[in-house]
Structures are given as structure tokens and as C-alpha cells.
């Protein structure tokens, strides 16, 4: 790798970290400080179901991607991972729209279930913040053909990304079960 390539690589990685940080700060502001946008008559609460679906589909394609790479099928692995990324991106867009118009959803459960819910939610939030730059860096290495680095970081990215996708669905299920 030439000096120019190393500098370009460092710049791209810094941009990924900056983008990830700005996205995290924006979501924190959106959830905790931004006023909800006045509704236009549309029931935005339906988006929480879409969010769970997008997380579920992301998890499915992540697992399929892992299975294909274990089989040595790089082309199918690539397609599965891109599809998982698309579903995660759709989740993020839907999540932003949901929280812009609907605001935060309060958990109605009480007792032990409340403790379990918040343990899952807190770990989900923390790992989603950590996973975002890992996912972007893993994709970056793949797109630029740096497969040794891609493989090295994917070992950490995959379990985080899968955990965030699965716990996103669990958070939705917990809220649905306690709001009935």
C-alpha cells in the first residue's frame, strides 16, 4: 500500500467515524430533545411494525451472508450482506420518520419484565452506536477490496450487527405485549 493509499484510507475511516458520530448525536437529539412534528392525520405508529420487520429481515440476511461465506460462496455472501445493509438503512429511515412524527414510545410493563426490557433496550442502544461505524468500515474494506481487513473487522461487526437487529425486534415485541 502506497503512502497515498494509506492517507486516503485514513481520511475515509475518519469520515466514517465522523458520520457515525453525527448520526448518533442527531438520533439522540431527535429522541430526547426535538419536538414532535405536528401530525398530518397519518398514524405514524404503524412504522414501529415496519421497523421490527426491517430489523428482522436484516437479521435473516446477516445469517444467510454468514452461511454463504462459510461455504465459500463470496458472490452470494456479498448479495446477502448488501441486502442486510439495505434493510438496516430502511430501518434507520423509518425510525427517523417515526420519531419525528410520533415521538418516543413509553414502555408500559411493570415488575421483572420492565427490568428485562430495559436491559435489552440499553444494550441494544449502546451496541447500535458502536456497531454503526463497524458496519460502515466493514463495508468500506469490502468495497475497496481490502479483504484481509474486511475479514478481520467482520468478526466483530457481525455479532454486534446481528444482536442489534434481533434485539430491535425483541424491543418491539416487548412493547406490543405490554400495550395490550
Amino acid at each position: 500500500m502506497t503512502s497515498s493509499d494509506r492517507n486516503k484510507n485514513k481520511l475515509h475511516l475518519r469520515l466514517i467515524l465522523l458520520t457515525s458520530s453525527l448520526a448518533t448525536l442527531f438520533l439522540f437529539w431527535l429522541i430526547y430533545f426535538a419536538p414532535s412534528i405536528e401530525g398530518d392525520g397519518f398514524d405514524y405508529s404503524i412504522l414501529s411494525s415496519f421497523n421490527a420487520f426491517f430489523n428482522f429481515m436484516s437479521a435473516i440476511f446477516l445469517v444467510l451472508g454468514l452461511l454463504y461465506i462459510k461455504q465459500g460462496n463470496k458472490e452470494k455472501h456479498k448479495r446477502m450482506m448488501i441486502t442486510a445493509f439495505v434493510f438496516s438503512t430502511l430501518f434507520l429511515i423509518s425510525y427517523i420518520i417515526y420519531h419525528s412524527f410520533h415521538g418516543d414510545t413509553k414502555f408500559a410493563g411493570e415488575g421483572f419484565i420492565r427490568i428485562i426490557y430495559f436491559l435489552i433496550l440499553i444494550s441494544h442502544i449502546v451496541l447500535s452506536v458502536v456497531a454503526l461505524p463497524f458496519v460502515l468500515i466493514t463495508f468500506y474494506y469490502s468495497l475497496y477490496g481490502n479483504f484481509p481487513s474486511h475479514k478481520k473487522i467482520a468478526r466483530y461487526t457481525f455479532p454486534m450487527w446481528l444482536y442489534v437487529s434481533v434485539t430491535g425486534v425483541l424491543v418491539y415485541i416487548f412493547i406490543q405485549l405490554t400495550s395490550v
Side-chain angles (χ1 to χ4, degrees):
M1 184 183 288
T2 68
S3 175
S4 174
D5 288 340
R6 276 192 295 279
N7 287 339
K8 190 185 302 183
N9 194 37
K10 284 182 185 179
L11 174 65
H12 289 151
L13 294 176
R14 285 183 182 140
L15 287 173
I16 288 170
L17 293 175
L18 177 64
T19 302
S20 299
S21 298
L22 291 174
T24 300
L25 289 172
F26 170 74
L27 289 172
F28 183 77
W29 170 82
L30 178 66
I31 293 168
Y32 296 108
F33 297 106
S36 293
I37 299 171
E38 290 300 316
D40 53 6
F42 181 77
D43 183 10
Y44 287 92
S45 65
I46 189 72
L47 292 179
S48 64
S49 298
F50 284 105
N51 292 343
F53 171 75
F54 294 144
N55 270 323
F56 178 75
M57 294 306 292
S58 180
I60 293 296
F61 283 97
L62 284 169
V63 170
L64 288 172
L66 177 67
L67 293 174
Y68 282 123
I69 201 63
K70 294 267 187 202
Q71 294 171 358
N73 193 331
K74 292 178 183 176
E75 190 54 41
K76 282 189 178 180
H77 166 75
K78 179 180 175 181
R79 288 197 308 250
M80 296 303 110
M81 300 313 285
I82 289 171
T83 304
F85 186 81
V86 167
F87 275 114
S88 288
T89 302
L90 289 172
F91 162 79
L92 184 58
I93 292 166
S94 177
Y95 184 85
I96 289 169
I97 294 169
Y98 173 80
H99 281 285
S100 295
F101 288 95
H102 186 269
D104 203 13
T105 301
K106 304 298 179 206
F107 182 70
E110 296 178 3
F112 187 68
I113 194 83
R114 188 171 183 82
I115 294 168
I116 299 299
Y117 168 79
F118 279 107
L119 286 173
I120 291 171
L121 179 63
I122 290 166
S123 66
H124 170 81
I125 291 169
V126 169
L127 270 181
S128 68
V129 169
V130 174
L132 178 59
F134 273 82
V135 169
L136 296 175
I137 290 168
T138 304
F139 264 83
Y140 168 77
Y141 284 142
S142 171
L143 291 172
Y144 285 93
N146 185 344
F147 295 109
S149 294
H150 169 80
K151 185 177 179 181
K152 200 178 291 184
I153 194 169
R155 289 184 176 141
Y156 302 102
T157 304
F158 175 81
M160 281 190 289
W161 191 1
L162 183 62
Y163 182 86
V164 168
S165 295
V166 170
T167 56
V169 175
L170 289 176
V171 165
Y172 170 80
I173 290 170
F174 271 97
I175 289 174
Q176 295 307 305
L177 290 175
T178 59
S179 66
V180 175

